[in-house]
Amino acid sequence: MFDKIDPQWLTSFHCVYEHNSFKRAAEFLGLPTSNVSRHIALLEERLDTRLFTRTTRRITSTDAGEHLYLCTQPLLDKLNQALEEVAQHSHAVVGELKILMPDSPALAEAVVSFCNQYPSVSLCCDTSINPKEDLLDGFDIVLSFQRGKLEDNSWVAREIQRWPSAVVASPKILQRFPRPFQLADLKQVPCINSFTVLHGNPWIFKNAKGQLITQKVASSFKVNSGHLAKTAAISGLGFAILPRAFCQAEIQAGMLEVIEMEYQPDDLVLYAFYASRRHLAKKIPIFIEHLKYHASLVA
């Protein structure tokens, strides 16, 4: 029977019962009086019983109307309470947050700080620098470092932080190989590549207009760690592209030198990816804003 009753009919019925007036019920609901009258008529027709006795001066509920109100009012109250709780829950920072991210000390601090600030969130975090495409759907947010143009996919990408980068090399390797100036020169010197998420070969540069330029380089040392790449560059194993802020201390100490090229390397960018949903759980945008704020403090 319930599937044959329009909920709006019951809403109009309850409002007329409580106000003892079609006109006042219509004003309360913000509907034309004719609509409210039609709702009651349809409900009476579907139940095959009269719910109100109408006179020119007043309306009163029938015994059937009284019974219907008393039986359905507690149910509607519980339904309304449940709907409000769900709506409130969707705007609260609660529930499990599943994150896939690189194993980075700075990101770890940001995640722990978020959990301390929002104790109602339970965390499930996996660390991988090169997640498989078919695993992404199991996470609320995927954090990933990228350089160059993003690949097309169904996920929403939010930029968290970007770091200007430079080609760097140690004095040791500059004694053994000529200093490169043109991008094509990189084919003649050993380079340190990332082999996973950053698609290290080719290297990605940008011109003055911001257009991307790729350059294949010679490499026998491929890593998926910025720390490892910097350590290798310092030891003289090869030239590397690193964020300037990440190796500024080593540059000032003379352990690394910035190699000025005809074009600058493209920035390293940390992105937060999440599935495109119309109704997004509050925990996701709040976590992303927390991450951006934390990144601004350490930048």
Side-chain angles (χ1 to χ4, degrees), residues 58-85:
R58 58 177 298 187
I59 65 167
T60 58
S61 63
T62 63
D63 290 342
E66 184 79 14
H67 182 72
L68 180 62
Y69 180 84
L70 294 176
C71 290
T72 56
Q73 182 59 31
L75 298 177
L76 290 181
D77 283 345
K78 288 184 178 180
L79 177 60
N80 187 60
Q81 181 181 353
L83 294 173
E84 289 182 353
E85 287 176 355

PDB file of all heavy atoms in Angstrom, residues 58-85:
ATOM      1  N   ARG A  58     -15.635  25.260   8.939  1.00  0.00           N
ATOM      2  CA  ARG A  58     -14.495  24.566   9.549  1.00  0.00           C
ATOM      3  C   ARG A  58     -14.368  23.165   8.961  1.00  0.00           C
ATOM      4  O   ARG A  58     -15.259  22.686   8.256  1.00  0.00           O
ATOM      5  CB  ARG A  58     -14.667  24.485  11.057  1.00  0.00           C
ATOM      6  CG  ARG A  58     -15.945  23.781  11.480  1.00  0.00           C
ATOM      7  CD  ARG A  58     -16.033  23.654  12.989  1.00  0.00           C
ATOM      8  NE  ARG A  58     -14.930  22.840  13.514  1.00  0.00           N
ATOM      9  CZ  ARG A  58     -14.879  22.474  14.799  1.00  0.00           C
ATOM     10  NH1 ARG A  58     -15.795  22.879  15.662  1.00  0.00           N
ATOM     11  NH2 ARG A  58     -13.878  21.726  15.212  1.00  0.00           N
ATOM     12  N   ILE A  59     -13.223  22.558   9.271  1.00  0.00           N
ATOM     13  CA  ILE A  59     -13.040  21.156   8.910  1.00  0.00           C
ATOM     14  C   ILE A  59     -12.657  20.404  10.172  1.00  0.00           C
ATOM     15  O   ILE A  59     -12.002  20.953  11.077  1.00  0.00           O
ATOM     16  CB  ILE A  59     -11.961  20.968   7.831  1.00  0.00           C
ATOM     17  CG1 ILE A  59     -10.586  21.384   8.378  1.00  0.00           C
ATOM     18  CG2 ILE A  59     -12.298  21.721   6.572  1.00  0.00           C
ATOM     19  CD1 ILE A  59      -9.456  20.939   7.493  1.00  0.00           C
ATOM     20  N   THR A  60     -13.048  19.170  10.254  1.00  0.00           N
ATOM     21  CA  THR A  60     -12.677  18.297  11.372  1.00  0.00           C
ATOM     22  C   THR A  60     -12.280  16.950  10.809  1.00  0.00           C
ATOM     23  O   THR A  60     -12.745  16.536   9.737  1.00  0.00           O
ATOM     24  CB  THR A  60     -13.846  18.112  12.353  1.00  0.00           C
ATOM     25  OG1 THR A  60     -14.971  17.574  11.645  1.00  0.00           O
ATOM     26  CG2 THR A  60     -14.231  19.422  13.021  1.00  0.00           C
ATOM     27  N   SER A  61     -11.415  16.285  11.525  1.00  0.00           N
ATOM     28  CA  SER A  61     -10.985  14.964  11.070  1.00  0.00           C
ATOM     29  C   SER A  61     -12.042  13.926  11.405  1.00  0.00           C
ATOM     30  O   SER A  61     -12.729  14.008  12.437  1.00  0.00           O
ATOM     31  CB  SER A  61      -9.653  14.594  11.724  1.00  0.00           C
ATOM     32  OG  SER A  61      -9.796  14.510  13.125  1.00  0.00           O
ATOM     33  N   THR A  62     -12.166  12.942  10.549  1.00  0.00           N
ATOM     34  CA  THR A  62     -13.036  11.805  10.830  1.00  0.00           C
ATOM     35  C   THR A  62     -12.292  10.843  11.744  1.00  0.00           C
ATOM     36  O   THR A  62     -11.104  11.045  12.056  1.00  0.00           O
ATOM     37  CB  THR A  62     -13.410  11.094   9.525  1.00  0.00           C
ATOM     38  OG1 THR A  62     -12.206  10.576   8.925  1.00  0.00           O
ATOM     39  CG2 THR A  62     -14.070  12.055   8.546  1.00  0.00           C
ATOM     40  N   ASP A  63     -12.980   9.801  12.168  1.00  0.00           N
ATOM     41  CA  ASP A  63     -12.312   8.783  12.991  1.00  0.00           C
ATOM     42  C   ASP A  63     -11.148   8.157  12.227  1.00  0.00           C
ATOM     43  O   ASP A  63     -10.076   7.898  12.809  1.00  0.00           O
ATOM     44  CB  ASP A  63     -13.304   7.697  13.397  1.00  0.00           C
ATOM     45  CG  ASP A  63     -14.331   8.194  14.402  1.00  0.00           C
ATOM     46  OD1 ASP A  63     -14.067   9.256  15.025  1.00  0.00           O
ATOM     47  OD2 ASP A  63     -15.372   7.545  14.571  1.00  0.00           O
ATOM     48  N   ALA A  64     -11.355   7.934  10.927  1.00  0.00           N
ATOM     49  CA  ALA A  64     -10.280   7.370  10.107  1.00  0.00           C
ATOM     50  C   ALA A  64      -9.102   8.347  10.014  1.00  0.00           C
ATOM     51  O   ALA A  64      -7.933   7.952  10.079  1.00  0.00           O
ATOM     52  CB  ALA A  64     -10.801   7.043   8.712  1.00  0.00           C
ATOM     53  N   GLY A  65      -9.426   9.638   9.864  1.00  0.00           N
ATOM     54  CA  GLY A  65      -8.370  10.640   9.811  1.00  0.00           C
ATOM     55  C   GLY A  65      -7.599  10.729  11.114  1.00  0.00           C
ATOM     56  O   GLY A  65      -6.367  10.854  11.115  1.00  0.00           O
ATOM     57  N   GLU A  66      -8.343  10.681  12.242  1.00  0.00           N
ATOM     58  CA  GLU A  66      -7.702  10.689  13.567  1.00  0.00           C
ATOM     59  C   GLU A  66      -6.776   9.490  13.722  1.00  0.00           C
ATOM     60  O   GLU A  66      -5.642   9.613  14.196  1.00  0.00           O
ATOM     61  CB  GLU A  66      -8.787  10.665  14.647  1.00  0.00           C
ATOM     62  CG  GLU A  66      -8.261  10.772  16.067  1.00  0.00           C
ATOM     63  CD  GLU A  66      -7.910  12.191  16.463  1.00  0.00           C
ATOM     64  OE1 GLU A  66      -8.317  13.120  15.739  1.00  0.00           O
ATOM     65  OE2 GLU A  66      -7.214  12.368  17.474  1.00  0.00           O
ATOM     66  N   HIS A  67      -7.231   8.329  13.317  1.00  0.00           N
ATOM     67  CA  HIS A  67      -6.438   7.111  13.435  1.00  0.00           C
ATOM     68  C   HIS A  67      -5.187   7.169  12.545  1.00  0.00           C
ATOM     69  O   HIS A  67      -4.090   6.783  12.980  1.00  0.00           O
ATOM     70  CB  HIS A  67      -7.305   5.896  13.055  1.00  0.00           C
ATOM     71  CG  HIS A  67      -6.586   4.592  13.182  1.00  0.00           C
ATOM     72  ND1 HIS A  67      -6.272   4.026  14.403  1.00  0.00           N
ATOM     73  CD2 HIS A  67      -6.103   3.731  12.227  1.00  0.00           C
ATOM     74  CE1 HIS A  67      -5.633   2.884  14.205  1.00  0.00           C
ATOM     75  NE2 HIS A  67      -5.526   2.679  12.896  1.00  0.00           N
ATOM     76  N   LEU A  68      -5.372   7.656  11.332  1.00  0.00           N
ATOM     77  CA  LEU A  68      -4.230   7.757  10.420  1.00  0.00           C
ATOM     78  C   LEU A  68      -3.167   8.701  10.974  1.00  0.00           C
ATOM     79  O   LEU A  68      -1.965   8.405  10.908  1.00  0.00           O
ATOM     80  CB  LEU A  68      -4.705   8.240   9.046  1.00  0.00           C
ATOM     81  CG  LEU A  68      -3.618   8.404   7.972  1.00  0.00           C
ATOM     82  CD1 LEU A  68      -2.949   7.070   7.668  1.00  0.00           C
ATOM     83  CD2 LEU A  68      -4.190   9.017   6.690  1.00  0.00           C
ATOM     84  N   TYR A  69      -3.586   9.824  11.525  1.00  0.00           N
ATOM     85  CA  TYR A  69      -2.624  10.792  12.063  1.00  0.00           C
ATOM     86  C   TYR A  69      -1.860  10.201  13.240  1.00  0.00           C
ATOM     87  O   TYR A  69      -0.626  10.278  13.306  1.00  0.00           O
ATOM     88  CB  TYR A  69      -3.334  12.072  12.484  1.00  0.00           C
ATOM     89  CG  TYR A  69      -2.387  13.100  13.058  1.00  0.00           C
ATOM     90  CD1 TYR A  69      -1.674  13.947  12.228  1.00  0.00           C
ATOM     91  CD2 TYR A  69      -2.190  13.197  14.440  1.00  0.00           C
ATOM     92  CE1 TYR A  69      -0.794  14.886  12.754  1.00  0.00           C
ATOM     93  CE2 TYR A  69      -1.317  14.119  14.973  1.00  0.00           C
ATOM     94  CZ  TYR A  69      -0.607  14.968  14.124  1.00  0.00           C
ATOM     95  OH  TYR A  69       0.278  15.878  14.647  1.00  0.00           O
ATOM     96  N   LEU A  70      -2.572   9.612  14.197  1.00  0.00           N
ATOM     97  CA  LEU A  70      -1.944   9.081  15.399  1.00  0.00           C
ATOM     98  C   LEU A  70      -0.971   7.946  15.081  1.00  0.00           C
ATOM     99  O   LEU A  70       0.054   7.784  15.755  1.00  0.00           O
ATOM    100  CB  LEU A  70      -3.008   8.609  16.387  1.00  0.00           C
ATOM    101  CG  LEU A  70      -3.901   9.711  16.975  1.00  0.00           C
ATOM    102  CD1 LEU A  70      -4.971   9.105  17.872  1.00  0.00           C
ATOM    103  CD2 LEU A  70      -3.060  10.729  17.742  1.00  0.00           C
ATOM    104  N   CYS A  71      -1.288   7.166  14.050  1.00  0.00           N
ATOM    105  CA  CYS A  71      -0.431   6.024  13.706  1.00  0.00           C
ATOM    106  C   CYS A  71       0.792   6.449  12.881  1.00  0.00           C
ATOM    107  O   CYS A  71       1.868   5.849  13.009  1.00  0.00           O
ATOM    108  CB  CYS A  71      -1.230   4.977  12.923  1.00  0.00           C
ATOM    109  SG  CYS A  71      -2.451   4.101  13.918  1.00  0.00           S
ATOM    110  N   THR A  72       0.626   7.445  12.041  1.00  0.00           N
ATOM    111  CA  THR A  72       1.723   7.808  11.132  1.00  0.00           C
ATOM    112  C   THR A  72       2.636   8.907  11.674  1.00  0.00           C
ATOM    113  O   THR A  72       3.780   9.021  11.245  1.00  0.00           O
ATOM    114  CB  THR A  72       1.172   8.272   9.769  1.00  0.00           C
ATOM    115  OG1 THR A  72       0.260   9.366   9.975  1.00  0.00           O
ATOM    116  CG2 THR A  72       0.453   7.127   9.072  1.00  0.00           C
ATOM    117  N   GLN A  73       2.142   9.708  12.637  1.00  0.00           N
ATOM    118  CA  GLN A  73       2.962  10.807  13.137  1.00  0.00           C
ATOM    119  C   GLN A  73       4.281  10.328  13.746  1.00  0.00           C
ATOM    120  O   GLN A  73       5.350  10.880  13.424  1.00  0.00           O
ATOM    121  CB  GLN A  73       2.174  11.640  14.154  1.00  0.00           C
ATOM    122  CG  GLN A  73       2.934  12.843  14.707  1.00  0.00           C
ATOM    123  CD  GLN A  73       3.356  13.806  13.609  1.00  0.00           C
ATOM    124  OE1 GLN A  73       2.679  13.930  12.590  1.00  0.00           O
ATOM    125  NE2 GLN A  73       4.484  14.473  13.796  1.00  0.00           N
ATOM    126  N   PRO A  74       4.279   9.293  14.624  1.00  0.00           N
ATOM    127  CA  PRO A  74       5.566   8.821  15.164  1.00  0.00           C
ATOM    128  C   PRO A  74       6.493   8.303  14.066  1.00  0.00           C
ATOM    129  O   PRO A  74       7.718   8.486  14.145  1.00  0.00           O
ATOM    130  CB  PRO A  74       5.151   7.705  16.123  1.00  0.00           C
ATOM    131  CG  PRO A  74       3.729   7.994  16.467  1.00  0.00           C
ATOM    132  CD  PRO A  74       3.146   8.577  15.225  1.00  0.00           C
ATOM    133  N   LEU A  75       5.922   7.662  13.055  1.00  0.00           N
ATOM    134  CA  LEU A  75       6.750   7.126  11.980  1.00  0.00           C
ATOM    135  C   LEU A  75       7.396   8.248  11.170  1.00  0.00           C
ATOM    136  O   LEU A  75       8.580   8.176  10.818  1.00  0.00           O
ATOM    137  CB  LEU A  75       5.896   6.246  11.056  1.00  0.00           C
ATOM    138  CG  LEU A  75       5.260   5.008  11.710  1.00  0.00           C
ATOM    139  CD1 LEU A  75       4.383   4.281  10.698  1.00  0.00           C
ATOM    140  CD2 LEU A  75       6.325   4.074  12.253  1.00  0.00           C
ATOM    141  N   LEU A  76       6.620   9.294  10.880  1.00  0.00           N
ATOM    142  CA  LEU A  76       7.177  10.423  10.121  1.00  0.00           C
ATOM    143  C   LEU A  76       8.231  11.172  10.932  1.00  0.00           C
ATOM    144  O   LEU A  76       9.218  11.665  10.382  1.00  0.00           O
ATOM    145  CB  LEU A  76       6.053  11.369   9.695  1.00  0.00           C
ATOM    146  CG  LEU A  76       5.100  10.846   8.616  1.00  0.00           C
ATOM    147  CD1 LEU A  76       4.055  11.898   8.271  1.00  0.00           C
ATOM    148  CD2 LEU A  76       5.866  10.433   7.371  1.00  0.00           C
ATOM    149  N   ASP A  77       8.002  11.254  12.246  1.00  0.00           N
ATOM    150  CA  ASP A  77       9.001  11.897  13.107  1.00  0.00           C
ATOM    151  C   ASP A  77      10.326  11.134  13.060  1.00  0.00           C
ATOM    152  O   ASP A  77      11.404  11.732  12.969  1.00  0.00           O
ATOM    153  CB  ASP A  77       8.491  11.970  14.548  1.00  0.00           C
ATOM    154  CG  ASP A  77       7.461  13.077  14.739  1.00  0.00           C
ATOM    155  OD1 ASP A  77       7.375  13.943  13.848  1.00  0.00           O
ATOM    156  OD2 ASP A  77       6.741  13.061  15.754  1.00  0.00           O
ATOM    157  N   LYS A  78      10.234   9.794  13.119  1.00  0.00           N
ATOM    158  CA  LYS A  78      11.455   8.979  13.075  1.00  0.00           C
ATOM    159  C   LYS A  78      12.124   9.076  11.709  1.00  0.00           C
ATOM    160  O   LYS A  78      13.354   9.133  11.608  1.00  0.00           O
ATOM    161  CB  LYS A  78      11.115   7.520  13.388  1.00  0.00           C
ATOM    162  CG  LYS A  78      10.771   7.272  14.847  1.00  0.00           C
ATOM    163  CD  LYS A  78      10.537   5.795  15.109  1.00  0.00           C
ATOM    164  CE  LYS A  78      10.230   5.555  16.585  1.00  0.00           C
ATOM    165  NZ  LYS A  78       9.991   4.116  16.867  1.00  0.00           N
ATOM    166  N   LEU A  79      11.307   9.103  10.644  1.00  0.00           N
ATOM    167  CA  LEU A  79      11.861   9.225   9.301  1.00  0.00           C
ATOM    168  C   LEU A  79      12.563  10.569   9.132  1.00  0.00           C
ATOM    169  O   LEU A  79      13.672  10.651   8.600  1.00  0.00           O
ATOM    170  CB  LEU A  79      10.749   9.083   8.267  1.00  0.00           C
ATOM    171  CG  LEU A  79      11.157   9.258   6.801  1.00  0.00           C
ATOM    172  CD1 LEU A  79      12.210   8.230   6.409  1.00  0.00           C
ATOM    173  CD2 LEU A  79       9.934   9.155   5.893  1.00  0.00           C
ATOM    174  N   ASN A  80      11.941  11.635   9.611  1.00  0.00           N
ATOM    175  CA  ASN A  80      12.541  12.968   9.514  1.00  0.00           C
ATOM    176  C   ASN A  80      13.827  13.050  10.320  1.00  0.00           C
ATOM    177  O   ASN A  80      14.820  13.648   9.883  1.00  0.00           O
ATOM    178  CB  ASN A  80      11.541  14.023   9.999  1.00  0.00           C
ATOM    179  CG  ASN A  80      12.048  15.431   9.772  1.00  0.00           C
ATOM    180  OD1 ASN A  80      12.305  15.835   8.646  1.00  0.00           O
ATOM    181  ND2 ASN A  80      12.216  16.184  10.859  1.00  0.00           N
ATOM    182  N   GLN A  81      13.826  12.424  11.507  1.00  0.00           N
ATOM    183  CA  GLN A  81      15.028  12.418  12.341  1.00  0.00           C
ATOM    184  C   GLN A  81      16.163  11.674  11.640  1.00  0.00           C
ATOM    185  O   GLN A  81      17.316  12.111  11.664  1.00  0.00           O
ATOM    186  CB  GLN A  81      14.720  11.752  13.687  1.00  0.00           C
ATOM    187  CG  GLN A  81      15.928  11.716  14.629  1.00  0.00           C
ATOM    188  CD  GLN A  81      15.596  11.029  15.944  1.00  0.00           C
ATOM    189  OE1 GLN A  81      14.447  10.684  16.213  1.00  0.00           O
ATOM    190  NE2 GLN A  81      16.603  10.804  16.768  1.00  0.00           N
ATOM    191  N   ALA A  82      15.816  10.532  11.013  1.00  0.00           N
ATOM    192  CA  ALA A  82      16.832   9.761  10.301  1.00  0.00           C
ATOM    193  C   ALA A  82      17.419  10.552   9.143  1.00  0.00           C
ATOM    194  O   ALA A  82      18.640  10.556   8.912  1.00  0.00           O
ATOM    195  CB  ALA A  82      16.236   8.453   9.798  1.00  0.00           C
ATOM    196  N   LEU A  83      16.570  11.253   8.401  1.00  0.00           N
ATOM    197  CA  LEU A  83      17.042  12.051   7.278  1.00  0.00           C
ATOM    198  C   LEU A  83      17.941  13.187   7.745  1.00  0.00           C
ATOM    199  O   LEU A  83      18.963  13.496   7.109  1.00  0.00           O
ATOM    200  CB  LEU A  83      15.847  12.606   6.486  1.00  0.00           C
ATOM    201  CG  LEU A  83      14.976  11.565   5.767  1.00  0.00           C
ATOM    202  CD1 LEU A  83      13.748  12.234   5.165  1.00  0.00           C
ATOM    203  CD2 LEU A  83      15.771  10.853   4.687  1.00  0.00           C
ATOM    204  N   GLU A  84      17.575  13.829   8.849  1.00  0.00           N
ATOM    205  CA  GLU A  84      18.403  14.910   9.392  1.00  0.00           C
ATOM    206  C   GLU A  84      19.756  14.387   9.864  1.00  0.00           C
ATOM    207  O   GLU A  84      20.782  15.045   9.685  1.00  0.00           O
ATOM    208  CB  GLU A  84      17.671  15.598  10.544  1.00  0.00           C
ATOM    209  CG  GLU A  84      16.478  16.450  10.094  1.00  0.00           C
ATOM    210  CD  GLU A  84      15.814  17.158  11.251  1.00  0.00           C
ATOM    211  OE1 GLU A  84      16.192  16.878  12.409  1.00  0.00           O
ATOM    212  OE2 GLU A  84      14.922  17.992  11.003  1.00  0.00           O
ATOM    213  N   GLU A  85      19.744  13.193  10.482  1.00  0.00           N
ATOM    214  CA  GLU A  85      21.005  12.610  10.955  1.00  0.00           C
ATOM    215  C   GLU A  85      21.931  12.285   9.787  1.00  0.00           C
ATOM    216  O   GLU A  85      23.140  12.509   9.855  1.00  0.00           O
ATOM    217  CB  GLU A  85      20.716  11.348  11.771  1.00  0.00           C
ATOM    218  CG  GLU A  85      20.118  11.636  13.141  1.00  0.00           C
ATOM    219  CD  GLU A  85      19.757  10.359  13.879  1.00  0.00           C
ATOM    220  OE1 GLU A  85      19.896   9.262  13.279  1.00  0.00           O
ATOM    221  OE2 GLU A  85      19.341  10.447  15.058  1.00  0.00           O
TER     222      GLU A  85
END
